Amino acid sequence: MSEYFLQHPLQPMLRKLNYWTPLDEADKGALLALPHSIQHIDAHGYIVQEGDKPTHSCVMLSGYSIREKVLASGARQIVSIHMRGDLVDLQNSLLRCADHSVQTLVRSKVAYIPREAILAIAREHPNVGFAMWYDTLVDASVFREWIANIGRRDARTRMAHLFCEFAVRLRLAGLAGGDYELPMTQEQLADATGMTAVHANRTIRSLEENGLIRRVSSRVIHIENWKELASAGEFDSAYLHLHDDERAIA
Amino acid sequence: MSEYFLQHPLQPMLRKLNYWTPLDEADKGALLALPHSIQHIDAHGYIVQEGDKPTHSCVMLSGYSIREKVLASGARQIVSIHMRGDLVDLQNSLLRCADHSVQTLVRSKVAYIPREAILAIAREHPNVGFAMWYDTLVDASVFREWIANIGRRDARTRMAHLFCEFAVRLRLAGLAGGDYELPMTQEQLADATGMTAVHANRTIRSLEENGLIRRVSSRVIHIENWKELASAGEFDSAYLHLHDDERAIA
DNA sequence: CGGGAGGTTGACAATCGTCAATCAGAGTGG
DNA sequence: CCACTCTGATTGACGATTGTCAACCTCCCG
């Protein structure tokens, strides 16, 4: 049974929801029995576009994606980054009209689940419903931290903070040890931190020259000195609402 | 019966939840029967403080409050503004550990509802549970807009956008026509838009000198030219997820 | 080998922050 | 009624961070 669970495509989502709030066997069975269609999406493909009226929610099974808003001026702001197990589109599908786009960073595998199936499982399995609600509450907490990050920290601190958040979340998803893949261009990092690509470049180099990080290759970052990086980024993982044992690592 | 509803202190919350998703009579009855204690809090009082482990959720009955984060550097960032009917603290109470503070702007009346009662009504009345979930989804949407606002718009646009959001939300809550009270100091407006108080002052004057707004008194704003203000603020109310008929007004 | 995307760099400009002084208005006590 | 005080608003001079523009470089890939 547990082997079956491990291999089930929706297992990463189950793992995450069960992390937020304990689910019983019936809850887990219902989750894995959710109707879904698995699809591969190329790099830079849209999972949802602003203005869409999506009929399905989407779970990341592999790869990475970002949520972004494009302003009237044409400027782009990335509002969050997502990885395996993330429910990347409860937001848009439940609110009916997408207020932002979700785009893959690399070729990714995703599962689409009908909106009605989400609503039904939330109704019939209150634990699952609460876990999903909890997930959106944590999402909101991360958004708040980003508001503070962008609004009140300078470029260097912002960038260090982003690197820290990504490292902790990757580790939590079981995706990284010391080095980690961060498949974003400097322009995308700039869009996530509210600065220009040129300034992002200077900021990242500054972190590297000070020995906080090392760029192993164009898209792989190694954290040389976690303590200093966390300090430079004023990073406190409280806003991720992890359990106490994982907080110790961060 | 309807008179009773109108006078019930939790009526503003019911109104808002019923706006998000239709509730039946049993749902409404259960909502108004929620155990709660009503309290008056002085201006600048804390409803919750970062780090608290609140046992109650809080609904605004009158007055205004803000959610804020204080960074390691001591800088403050306001992440949202709240008014009558807003569920200002589902976030903190359900996540157990407060990742931000909630502070009143003026003397306010609030209702505290035990966390367990919230969980119970969500479980027993799925419609109510979904409406509250929906409310946090909309909260998250507003956070996303703020990230984009602060990250990618200049000071003048940011401030105009904030004034627009506030005007629309006040009207929706039935609290304002043309003029409206905005009981925030320029320092607080600066903390909400990620700038300094001095720059906020210059930005607001610029909006006033261009005839977009007029300051009737120190805390009352009159929108002289909604169309120009909305345009200056790149304001599109889609992210508030209002019904189509209210969107027309905005 | 050519083309293209993304990274790097420098010079310069604009926005925004800092500091410090002054002003206006509300509340308070004599 | 009048100082007195405090908070918040206003203003100017100056400096720092960040943006803009434009060039060039360096991979990677077909």
Side-chain angles (χ1 to χ4, degrees):
Chain A
M1 187 71 169
S2 77
E3 273 174 36
Y4 169 71
F5 273 9
L6 283 171
Q7 289 170 358
H8 193 285
L10 296 184
Q11 178 63 29
M13 173 178 72
L14 188 158
R15 174 183 168 168
K16 191 177 190 198
L17 293 178
N18 187 56
Y19 181 86
W20 294 138
T21 196
L23 303 174
D24 62 31
E25 290 308 311
D27 297 329
K28 292 180 183 175
L31 258 175
L32 296 185
L34 277 172
H36 61 277
S37 87
I38 292 174
Q39 298 198 14
H40 292 264
I41 301 185
D42 281 333
H44 317 300
Y46 284 98
I47 294 177
V48 196
Q49 289 212 43
E50 201 166 339
D52 279 1
K53 305 213 180 292
T55 55
H56 290 67
S57 288
C58 180
V59 179
M60 297 293 299
L61 303 181
S62 75
Y64 299 96
S65 64
I66 50 121
R67 291 203 265 235
E68 65 178 11
K69 292 182 82 105
V70 177
L71 306 192
S73 62
R76 164 197 318 257
Q77 176 68 45
I78 292 176
V79 300
S80 61
I81 307 174
H82 294 282
M83 58 192 67
R84 183 174 78 191
D86 284 355
L87 291 134
V88 90
D89 203 33
L90 282 178
Q91 317 272 335
N92 278 326
S93 77
L94 294 185
L95 291 174
R96 294 202 167 270
C97 183
D99 57 76
H100 65 280
S101 303
V102 182
Q103 197 178 11
T104 57
L105 290 170
V106 297
R107 183 169 171 81
S108 306
K109 192 161 77 165
V110 304
Y112 285 98
I113 303 172
R115 184 188 130 94
E116 285 69 29
I118 298 279
L119 293 174
I121 199 175
R123 187 170 287 266
E124 286 150 29
H125 294 268
N127 287 334
V128 176
F130 183 63
M132 292 192 294
W133 184 8
Y134 200 101
D135 191 69
T136 66
L137 285 164
V138 174
D139 258 10
S141 175
V142 175
F143 288 142
R144 287 192 290 274
E145 183 71 21
W146 279 46
I147 292 175
N149 198 33
I150 294 173
R152 284 294 181 221
R153 297 202 254 245
D154 65 16
R156 189 186 145 90
T157 315
R158 286 209 287 281
M159 192 63 78
H161 191 278
L162 181 67
F163 287 160
C164 289
E165 174 179 322
F166 211 64
V168 169
R169 289 176 55 201
L170 278 175
R171 193 178 327 210
L172 194 71
L175 289 169
D179 296 4
Y180 64 82
E181 188 194 15
L182 207 184
M184 295 172 74
T185 65
Q186 293 187 349
E187 184 172 13
Q188 289 165 334
L189 290 168
D191 285 341
T193 47
M195 60 184 97
T196 58
V198 171
H199 205 62
N201 179 287
R202 291 174 177 139
T203 304
I204 295 168
R205 320 211 96 233
S206 149
L207 291 174
E208 187 167 27
E209 279 157 19
N210 294 344
L212 305 190
I213 61 167
R214 181 163 43 85
R215 285 174 299 169
V216 177
S217 74
S218 122
R219 303 291 157 81
V220 177
I221 285 203
H222 174 79
I223 295 184
E224 292 278 6
N225 189 330
W226 169 260
K227 223 170 163 183
E228 271 194 48
L229 185 67
S231 156
E234 292 186 358
F235 186 76
D236 174 348
S237 67
Y239 72 100
L240 294 172
H241 292 278
L242 310 183
H243 299 173
D244 290 339
D245 43 333
E246 275 98 3
R247 287 205 57 192
I249 308 173
Chain B
M1 185 73 168
S2 77
E3 273 173 34
Y4 170 70
F5 273 10
L6 283 170
Q7 287 170 359
H8 193 288
L10 297 183
Q11 177 65 27
M13 173 178 71
L14 189 158
R15 173 183 167 168
K16 193 177 188 197
L17 294 177
N18 187 55
Y19 182 86
W20 294 139
T21 195
L23 303 175
D24 62 32
E25 289 309 312
D27 298 328
K28 291 180 184 175
L31 259 174
L32 296 185
L34 277 172
H36 61 278
S37 87
I38 292 173
Q39 299 198 14
H40 293 264
I41 301 187
D42 280 334
H44 317 300
Y46 284 98
I47 294 178
V48 196
Q49 289 212 44
E50 201 166 338
D52 279 0
K53 305 212 181 294
T55 56
H56 290 67
S57 287
C58 180
V59 179
M60 297 293 300
L61 303 180
S62 75
Y64 299 95
S65 64
I66 50 121
R67 291 203 265 237
E68 64 178 8
K69 290 182 85 105
V70 177
L71 306 191
S73 61
R76 164 196 318 256
Q77 176 68 45
I78 293 176
V79 300
S80 61
I81 307 173
H82 295 282
M83 59 193 67
R84 184 173 76 190
D86 284 355
L87 291 134
V88 92
D89 202 34
L90 283 178
Q91 317 271 336
N92 279 326
S93 78
L94 294 185
L95 291 174
R96 294 204 166 269
C97 183
D99 57 75
H100 65 279
S101 304
V102 182
Q103 197 177 11
T104 57
L105 290 170
V106 297
R107 184 170 169 79
S108 305
K109 192 162 75 163
V110 304
Y112 285 98
I113 303 172
R115 183 189 131 95
E116 285 69 30
I118 299 279
L119 292 174
I121 199 176
R123 187 172 288 267
E124 285 151 30
H125 295 269
N127 287 334
V128 176
F130 182 63
M132 292 191 294
W133 184 8
Y134 200 100
D135 191 67
T136 66
L137 285 164
V138 174
D139 259 8
S141 175
V142 175
F143 289 141
R144 287 193 290 274
E145 183 71 21
W146 279 46
I147 292 175
N149 198 33
I150 294 173
R152 285 293 181 221
R153 297 202 254 245
D154 66 16
R156 187 186 146 90
T157 315
R158 286 209 286 283
M159 191 62 77
H161 190 278
L162 181 67
F163 288 159
C164 289
E165 175 180 322
F166 210 65
V168 169
R169 288 177 54 201
L170 278 174
R171 192 178 329 210
L172 193 71
L175 288 170
D179 294 5
Y180 65 82
E181 188 194 14
L182 207 185
M184 295 172 74
T185 65
Q186 293 187 352
E187 185 173 12
Q188 289 164 334
L189 290 169
D191 285 341
T193 48
M195 61 183 99
T196 59
V198 171
H199 205 63
N201 178 285
R202 290 174 178 139
T203 304
I204 295 167
R205 319 214 93 232
S206 149
L207 290 174
E208 187 168 26
E209 280 158 18
N210 295 346
L212 305 190
I213 60 167
R214 180 163 43 84
R215 284 174 300 168
V216 177
S217 75
S218 127
R219 303 291 157 81
V220 176
I221 286 204
H222 175 80
I223 295 182
E224 292 279 6
N225 189 331
W226 169 260
K227 222 170 164 182
E228 270 194 49
L229 185 66
S231 156
E234 294 185 356
F235 186 76
D236 174 348
S237 68
Y239 72 101
L240 294 172
H241 293 278
L242 309 183
H243 298 173
D244 290 339
D245 43 335
E246 275 99 3
R247 288 206 55 191
I249 307 172

